[in-house]
Amino acid sequence: MVKLSRLTSKEAESLLLKAGFVLIRSAGSHRIYMKDDRRIVVPFHSGKILHPKIVKQVFEAIDEV
């Protein structure tokens, strides 16, 4: 199994925006991005490392583009 890289929420946001995702709204400390019919929710806590499941979801969403 491949080990996923560690990402902060700012790094994940940067990757999503480069892949063409658009910030549609914020709900508390979560930011919701959309592209076509795909939606991804990223918890936005500054300086904290994202959980590996969230990192996996980000990379899968980018790979589908």
Side-chain angles (χ1 to χ4, degrees), residues 6-55:
R6 297 169 51 127
L7 290 178
T8 64
S9 53
K10 287 185 181 183
E11 294 168 338
E13 179 182 42
S14 175
L15 291 173
L16 289 168
L17 293 176
K18 286 180 185 175
F21 282 81
V22 178
L23 175 66
I24 56 170
R25 65 187 176 98
S26 292
S29 62
H30 293 74
R31 294 185 182 176
I32 296 99
Y33 300 89
M34 266 194 101
K35 181 174 182 181
D36 301 329
D37 61 340
R38 288 179 298 260
R39 182 185 70 169
I40 180 121
V41 179
V42 178
F44 214 84
H45 304 284
S46 62
K48 299 240 178 167
I49 301 296
L50 293 175
H51 192 276
K53 288 183 181 179
I54 303 294
V55 174

